[in-house]
Amino acid sequence: PRPTPPLGALARPCACQSAQDTGTSSGKSLLILLTADIISTVEFNYSGDLLATGDKGGRVVIFQREQENKSRPHSRGEYNVYSTFQSHEPEFDYLKSLEIEEKINKIRWLPQQNAAHFLLSTNDKTIKLWKISERDKRAEGYNLKDEDGRLRDPFRITALRVPILKPMDLMVEASPRRIFANAHTYHINSISVNSDHETYLSADDLRINLWHLEITDRSFNIVDIKPANMEELTEVITAAEFHPHQCNVFVYSSSKGTIRLCDMRSSALCDRHSKFFEEPEDPSSRSFFSEIISSISDVKFSHSGRYMMSRDYLSVKVWDLNMESRPLETHQVHEYLRSKLCSLYENDCIFDKFECCWNGSDSAIMTGSYNNFFRMFDRDTRRDVTLEASRESSKPRASLKPRKVCTGGKRKKDEISVDSLDFNKKILHTAWHPADSVIAVAATNNLYIFQGKIN
């Protein structure tokens, strides 16, 4: 991986996907359109050349990175639309009288084995395996049908022809190869592909299932925290992920702010954890909101597999897998919101689920905030920066200016006060290129791609 540039030196934003450009006659239909276009997940593939986004309308949009061009040196890093397809449709569960949303909760790429690409996408109930392939040749000269596809009269076929392949315009096809359904009673919040590249896990509020990529009609339940009496329920599973190198190890986080590491070699049902990560709460800072803000919304292993990162409402914590008692690092994301928890509770923002991600060398981490702000933390220098993803401040090939929030006292010229933050503009989903200084940030219905400034 290339060395990571200073966190503040991110440039060349590119708003790639937007519902705001589409004009509609009715205000109601515009609202529905905007809601359907809200991006719900962002994920780079293993090489970083493809970037997939899923939205609330059940669509998957894949962007492809432009190849380096000597005549256009700045074109490297630009992502253009490669393929768009409808992954999930709205459904209705007649047994429970429940509508099942088409919203894409998670996308996970599989390592590339051949010319085609494969990805898993899931809504609340159903996981699908998609194949994305290219076609730039077509066969011509069939014996039994004409070029337009109509069948020929067999009695008029007097000679045999050998079909030949002829070039055609490049076509990208997305086809569903497997559908993994009917295994989750509750909403799926996580999928994670195992390092054996044969199995993957899916997690909902109370259970984690293990699937084989070739078998769709059954899965193994490896974690079940559902109590015999649902009135005794005290916590739910919020996120789960496989270890990047050890195929027998996975972790899952809970709404109580704890992380459990499980080893599938110890037993088939991993109800008993191997390691338990929890930071003791300071009794002096306990409040009505303590339990809500300690709930972990995302957990991610580092690329090396030595560390993992967890995101709660106000902070990001980095854990060493060999130290369960407390986190190695704690980075405050928006500590200035602690005084606003009451109003955030009333408008339901306190239940927002922010994600987090590592850079390719595990030296920096990134997560989102409100007002279209996102935060980046350099683990080596302990520096951090707040940047904003907005059309007004994001001019092509211009450096983003660090933003500061005024927490009290006299406000400086470039600072923004806590009271003027827009809580409807929130960055919940971010992704970092696995090798380069390229990040993707989903700001409601816009996707921004920023590249590290090249000196």
Side-chain angles (χ1 to χ4, degrees):
R2 299 176 187 172
T4 307
L7 293 179
L10 284 161
R12 194 151 80 229
C14 162
C16 299
Q17 187 184 11
S18 173
Q20 294 168 353
D21 300 333
T22 312
T24 54
S25 56
S26 155
K28 187 177 178 183
S29 60
L30 176 65
L31 182 66
I32 295 168
L33 174 74
L34 292 172
T35 304
D37 277 351
I38 291 173
I39 298 171
S40 52
T41 184
V42 184
E43 188 77 8
F44 280 102
N45 73 337
Y46 281 76
S47 67
D49 289 333
L50 295 178
L51 171 67
T53 67
D55 63 25
K56 284 194 172 183
R59 291 183 299 269
V60 173
V61 181
I62 300 174
F63 300 90
Q64 185 182 44
R65 194 178 195 183
E66 289 293 311
Q67 296 302 312
E68 200 147 11
N69 191 332
K70 288 181 180 177
S71 61
R72 293 177 63 216
H74 292 294
S75 66
R76 175 68 172 161
E78 287 184 4
Y79 284 78
N80 295 315
V81 174
Y82 178 65
S83 175
T84 304
F85 59 92
Q86 189 74 28
S87 174
H88 287 70
E89 301 282 356
E91 299 172 53
F92 190 80
D93 186 334
Y94 291 97
L95 292 174
K96 295 181 180 175
S97 295
L98 283 175
E99 288 186 14
I100 301 170
E101 285 186 344
E102 65 272 35
K103 173 194 164 195
I104 308 295
N105 291 344
K106 282 286 184 289
I107 289 173
R108 290 291 179 264
W109 291 91
L110 272 61
Q112 191 175 2
Q113 309 286 352
N114 50 39
H117 299 273
F118 289 86
L119 63 81
L120 290 165
S121 66
T122 184
N123 66 347
D124 286 340
K125 300 289 181 186
T126 306
I127 305 158
K128 295 184 180 181
L129 175 67
W130 289 90
K131 178 184 179 183
I132 293 95
S133 54
E134 293 183 353
R135 214 153 48 112
D136 60 354
K137 291 184 177 65
R138 70 162 175 245
E140 289 186 2
Y142 288 107
N143 291 287
L144 300 177
K145 59 183 180 182
D146 292 323
E147 303 308 330
D148 58 4
R150 286 183 298 183
L151 290 173
R152 296 171 66 192
D153 184 353
F155 297 104
R156 294 188 177 181
I157 301 171
T158 56
L160 285 175
R161 295 189 293 179
V162 178
I164 58 170
L165 289 173
K166 287 196 172 178
M168 60 176 274
D169 291 336
L170 179 67
M171 205 165 83
V172 181
E173 294 178 316
S175 52
R177 303 311 297 257
R178 309 261 191 283
I179 297 177
F180 307 88
N182 306 320
H184 285 277
T185 310
Y186 308 97
H187 294 176
I188 298 170
N189 56 47
S190 302
I191 48 176
S192 177
V193 181
N194 201 347
S195 58
D196 63 10
H197 303 158
E198 292 182 355
T199 57
Y200 74 93
L201 64 77
S202 60
D204 65 26
D205 292 343
L206 298 179
R207 296 189 180 101
I208 300 176
N209 293 335
L210 181 69
W211 300 84
H212 194 285
L213 285 162
E214 300 292 328
I215 302 169
T216 60
D217 59 351
R218 65 183 179 273
S219 62
F220 295 98
N221 180 223
I222 53 175
V223 172
D224 187 348
I225 66 167
K226 184 180 179 182
N229 181 3
M230 281 296 277
E231 290 179 2
E232 298 170 5
L233 182 69
T234 58
E235 62 180 334
V236 294
I237 297 167
T238 55
E241 189 178 57
F242 266 121
H243 191 280
H245 311 305
Q246 299 171 23
C247 62
N248 53 290
V249 173
F250 68 95
V251 294
Y252 67 92
S253 58
S254 89
S255 57
K256 274 194 163 182
T258 61
I259 304 169
R260 291 171 173 85
L261 183 141
C262 300
D263 191 334
M264 290 191 291
R265 295 174 301 185
S266 58
S267 65
L269 190 63
C270 299
D271 282 350
R272 292 184 179 177
H273 48 266
S274 301
K275 292 187 176 183
F276 184 76
F277 300 87
E278 182 181 26
E279 184 174 26
E281 188 187 7
D282 182 4
S284 63
S285 63
R286 181 158 182 81
S287 71
F288 170 78
F289 305 106
S290 294
E291 201 166 306
I292 302 173
I293 63 173
S294 65
S295 174
I296 293 173
S297 56
D298 196 17
V299 61
K300 292 268 173 60
F301 277 109
S302 64
H303 295 85
S304 66
R306 171 70 189 272
Y307 307 101
M308 66 179 173
M309 165 174 52
S310 65
R311 171 72 208 263
D312 57 44
Y313 189 67
L314 294 179
S315 64
V316 175
K317 293 170 182 171
V318 176
W319 302 80
D320 189 321
L321 291 192
N322 298 325
M323 187 170 70
E324 302 167 55
S325 58
R326 58 187 174 84
L328 196 66
E329 304 163 19
T330 301
H331 303 279
Q332 299 300 335
V333 178
H334 37 218
E335 183 63 21
Y336 47 80
L337 294 182
R338 195 176 286 276
S339 61
K340 297 278 178 188
L341 292 178
C342 192
S343 58
L344 290 165
Y345 177 78
E346 288 171 357
N347 63 16
D348 282 349
C349 283
I350 201 167
F351 303 107
D352 286 333
K353 291 174 170 56
F354 292 95
E355 295 173 8
C356 52
C357 59
W358 298 85
N359 72 338
S361 59
D362 299 334
S363 62
I365 54 182
M366 173 173 61
T367 190
S369 181
Y370 293 105
N371 208 71
N372 278 0
F373 288 168
F374 59 98
R375 301 268 286 139
M376 306 176 80
F377 303 92
D378 192 310
R379 298 182 58 218
D380 297 330
T381 62
R382 298 289 171 155
R383 287 176 56 224
D384 62 85
V385 67
T386 303
L387 300 169
E388 183 182 6
S390 71
R391 291 191 166 197
E392 294 75 29
S393 63
S394 303
K395 294 176 182 175
R397 296 196 234 301
S399 292
L400 290 181
K401 291 180 181 176
R403 301 302 304 268
K404 281 202 169 79
V405 177
C406 173
T407 53
K410 196 173 181 182
R411 185 166 64 92
K412 294 179 183 174
K413 183 185 175 184
D414 295 332
E415 291 182 339
I416 182 168
S417 72
V418 180
D419 296 324
S420 58
L421 292 174
D422 188 344
F423 293 106
N424 292 317
K425 293 180 178 177
K426 57 191 85 169
I427 290 176
L428 303 177
H429 314 286
T430 58
W432 208 313
H433 191 286
D436 295 346
S437 307
V438 175
I439 59 169
V441 173
T444 321
N445 56 339
N446 291 306
L447 176 70
Y448 293 89
I449 297 172
F450 300 102
Q451 181 174 4
K453 201 167 186 182
I454 302 164
N455 295 321

